Amino acid sequence: MDQQLMNEAGAGSAPKFNGGQSGGTNYTAPAPLAPDLRSADGRDRPSRNDSLTAQLCTVVGGPVGDHALIGRVRFWTPMRVLLAVALIFLALGWTAKAPCIQQTTTSEGSLTLDWTDGRQYIAMCYSDTVPLFGAERLNEGAFPYKKSWTEQTPDGGTETRYMEYPVLSGLYQYVAMEVAKTWDALPLPGALQVVIYFNVVAFGLALAWLVTVWASAKLAGRRIWDAAMVACSPLVIVHAFTNFDALATACAATGLLAWARRRPLLAGVLLGLGGAAKLYPLLLLGPIVVLCLRADPLHRVPSAQAGLRARDIDNLDTALAWVRDRMQLLSARPLGAAAVTVTGAAATWLAVNVPIALLYPTGWREFFRLNTTRHADPDSIYNVITSFTGWLGFDGDLAHNQQPSILNVVSLLVFVLACLVIGYIALTAPRRPRLAQLCFLVVAAFLLTNKVWSPQYSLWLVPIAALALPHRRILLAWMAVDALVWVPRMFYYLGLDRKGLPEQWFTGTVVLRDLAVLGLCVLIIRQIYRPDEDLVRRDFIDDPVGGIVDRTPDPLLPWLPEALRPRVALART
């Protein structure tokens, strides 16, 4: 019967059947039946295997039925559901920031933003994009990195300032400013330019986060619903529009997706673009290189003798063909693919930065100068220690522009040490770790050891956390703690003179957040050494994000010192 129906469906006719009773009424199927009449058993069904989701889904009718056909919905596919949910949370995020773009009238009758009496802190709606419109001289229509201005320093002096953001983030602000000024000049519904600017910026950041959700869902493979933690994260409500970090998360997620689809050059280009917006996408290159180092047998690969040789190049077309052949040859092995990705990332970062560096060298260096002279951020572990102990830091009491040299060196060395430990774990684990697991460990190590952890940086962890540790209750608990840090932060910034909170209330919640991130790292390391506990690797799955290293065997690695070989390899020798 099934074969007959499939044959009829393949012939383009709608099959008819009588429900198994002779002489019964014939029923016409609404559409041709699928070639495979079974549900895809490999799909993840959270409403049946995750207790939190099972309880939540009672609001919409309960868990999916035992005989339900999974993956046959025409419109509300999982991807569209995820994007719709992400839109709802992004709308909530915009609503949370909306009080900070409310307008009021001055005594002279002109419009201005209503930031009186610390409204941005009391309403907890603060966003960097609003004050930066004036602070970075975007309100003057100035081009970033070219425009300079003089500011008063806390010690009573002055300093010359430029745009303080990486090139791609700075150019994004400039484009948003131009759109806002164009909108204001046209006969369209109007507002203060800074309000229009904020909405333009928010629109672009919302698109970037939707791209992040889409790429995360693609990376999740059969566990597509793991990306729901990216779409409906509490951190999206709090920080999606706090700064410009969604640009970097979109580049990082799509870069990993390109790597997963075995397109190393495109992966490098996307990660390089992300690195030109924020630093962290470049950190993902380290785990890629380490995993490829472990997966590559380091045997000599014969060159393609039949392909073009260097002496055959006589015009641009043959030169491009020669480069293409060599890229394909390199990409055929793990270390070669990693080299292509790293080279692509470096070339893309240079292509974005070099023009600005040549045209406006002083403005281009401002980002690096500020990060060098910047003292410990309120969110950093170093400031937390100072807050509770009164410790003056490694460098003691410094002036405004005085460089914290010892702190810079210590934070860098501690991060490098953490990366070496992560590399050791990646090489010695009995089974090769998944790429998302190592990416999370590296980014978390950077945030925990760095002297700066701006609140919106937590968005960096959301997509890779959902891929690295798809335990929804655990992730939701961490995200809730991290999002709630925003409350004491705002009231600490409000000041005690306005009935704000003491510093220790804020730094105490920072400790809880750091402990939560450390807990996630511990759980991920545990699953690396116990891969049978990894939810992603059930049903004979290896690494959906692994790209060229996915489903490749672990070589014995005889070229490594014995202490750095996988434990499985040691057991065989």
Side-chain angles (χ1 to χ4, degrees), residues 384-392:
V384 169
I385 296 173
T386 297
S387 174
F388 285 104
T389 66
W391 174 56
L392 294 179

Side-chain angles (χ1 to χ4, degrees), residues 48-225:
R48 300 196 66 85
N49 56 29
D50 180 77
S51 58
L52 174 64
T53 310
Q55 296 174 41
L56 291 175
C57 74
T58 56
V59 180
V60 291
V64 64
D66 288 333
H67 303 288
L69 294 177
I70 307 299
R72 302 292 174 83
V73 179
R74 297 190 179 200
F75 184 81
W76 285 113
T77 61
M79 181 66 75
R80 288 174 178 169
V81 171
L82 291 173
L83 294 177
V85 172
L87 280 174
I88 293 173
F89 273 72
L90 287 167
L92 293 174
W94 184 91
T95 304
K97 301 299 184 185
C100 278
I101 55 174
Q102 298 302 307
Q103 302 174 152
T104 188
T105 305
T106 64
S107 56
E108 291 80 14
S110 59
L111 284 178
T112 185
L113 282 180
D114 186 8
W115 277 33
T116 57
D117 299 322
R119 176 187 177 93
Q120 68 273 29
Y121 303 129
I122 296 173
M124 296 182 288
C125 62
Y126 177 83
S127 171
D128 286 334
T129 59
V130 176
L132 284 175
F133 184 70
E136 303 288 358
R137 303 307 190 263
L138 294 169
N139 59 329
E140 302 175 8
F143 184 79
Y145 314 105
K146 178 181 180 181
K147 175 71 175 181
S148 65
W149 61 93
T150 301
E151 285 185 358
Q152 294 286 332
T153 59
D155 56 6
T158 60
E159 64 177 344
T160 301
R161 292 292 310 278
Y162 295 85
M163 166 64 74
E164 63 183 71
Y165 281 84
V167 171
L168 204 59
S169 295
L171 294 179
Y172 177 76
Q173 296 175 63
Y174 177 74
V175 171
M177 176 270 293
E178 289 288 356
V179 173
K181 287 186 174 294
T182 302
W183 179 286
D184 189 45
L186 295 174
L188 296 169
L192 289 170
Q193 281 191 7
V194 64
V195 175
I196 302 173
Y197 169 76
F198 171 82
N199 287 322
V200 171
V201 167
F203 180 79
L205 295 177
L207 291 179
W209 190 255
L210 290 175
V211 171
T212 304
V213 173
W214 170 80
S216 301
K218 291 293 186 179
L219 287 168
R222 67 181 181 86
R223 297 185 56 88
I224 188 172
W225 292 111

Side-chain angles (χ1 to χ4, degrees), residues 482-502:
D482 205 326
L484 289 174
V485 175
W486 187 248
V487 179
R489 176 198 304 278
M490 291 291 97
F491 282 93
Y492 163 58
Y493 288 169
L494 181 64
L496 293 175
D497 57 331
R498 296 180 178 177
K499 298 183 180 180
L501 290 176

Side-chain angles (χ1 to χ4, degrees), residues 259 263-269 285 288-289 323 326-348:
W259 175 262
R263 301 185 65 181
L265 181 58
L266 179 59
V269 170
L285 295 172
I288 289 175
V289 171
V323 171
R326 292 308 176 269
M327 293 285 288
Q328 292 175 351
L329 185 62
L330 272 176
S331 301
R333 59 180 302 169
L335 275 180
V340 170
T341 300
V342 172
T343 303
T348 303

Side-chain angles (χ1 to χ4, degrees), residues 326-395:
R326 292 308 176 269
M327 293 285 288
Q328 292 175 351
L329 185 62
L330 272 176
S331 301
R333 59 180 302 169
L335 275 180
V340 170
T341 300
V342 172
T343 303
T348 303
W349 187 90
L350 289 172
V352 174
N353 281 267
V354 167
I356 300 298
L358 293 177
L359 292 172
Y360 316 110
T362 306
W364 177 78
R365 287 195 297 267
E366 181 74 355
F367 167 74
F368 302 97
R369 183 189 71 83
L370 283 180
N371 278 276
T372 302
T373 59
R374 192 170 182 175
H375 299 171
D377 194 69
D379 279 51
S380 69
I381 187 62
Y382 311 103
N383 182 70
V384 169
I385 296 173
T386 297
S387 174
F388 285 104
T389 66
W391 174 56
L392 294 179
F394 294 107
D395 299 275

